[in-house]
Amino acid sequence: MSEAILLSPPIVFILLCSAMVLLSMAFSRYAFRKKEQSAGAKKAYACGEDFHDHLIQPDYSQFFPFAFFFTILHVVALVIATVPTETIETFVMAALYVGGAVIGLMILLRK
């Protein structure tokens, strides 16, 4: 009985996490550390430039429709590939799901 408790996933997770913390603490004294940090060690790096007033703000408005398109199509492919074909009800549910995905893609890609 005690072996079954020790092999349960939460106990194993706690044991492994505590072992990693102990190993990290044990090996931290062997880690390479500089005697003193340089003046710019904690400053933000902006491609070698010192001024931070002109930070680039990327525009993701063209990225998100493609990301959602990719995600929707891959989830639809997963549903189609894993739907059981024994009954007509499961086929109808998968067809309704694909129809909903097509409507969602039409809404996503409208101009």
Side-chain angles (χ1 to χ4, degrees):
M1 184 73 169
S2 65
E3 296 91 18
I5 292 173
L6 286 178
L7 293 178
S8 68
I11 302 297
V12 171
F13 179 75
I14 292 170
L15 288 175
L16 285 176
C17 284
S18 57
M20 289 300 111
V21 167
L22 290 174
L23 280 173
S24 175
M25 289 170 44
F27 286 121
S28 68
R29 68 175 79 167
Y30 298 114
F32 175 74
R33 292 187 192 104
K34 291 184 178 180
K35 299 294 181 197
E36 52 188 61
Q37 288 186 343
S38 63
K42 295 191 178 188
K43 289 177 64 177
Y45 179 70
C47 301
E49 299 175 1
D50 287 335
F51 60 92
H52 302 289
D53 296 337
H54 301 89
L55 294 177
I56 296 174
Q57 297 291 327
D59 182 23
Y60 291 108
S61 63
Q62 295 177 351
F63 169 73
F64 286 123
F66 289 110
F68 288 130
F69 179 78
F70 180 81
T71 303
I72 290 171
L73 284 184
H74 277 78
V75 170
V76 167
L78 179 68
V79 167
I80 291 173
T82 59
V83 68
T85 58
E86 288 91 20
T87 61
I88 193 70
E89 290 86 11
T90 56
F91 178 76
V92 169
M93 289 298 290
L96 287 173
Y97 185 79
V98 170
V102 167
I103 292 171
L105 286 173
M106 289 171 57
I107 292 170
L108 178 68
L109 298 176
R110 72 172 186 235
K111 295 278 176 175

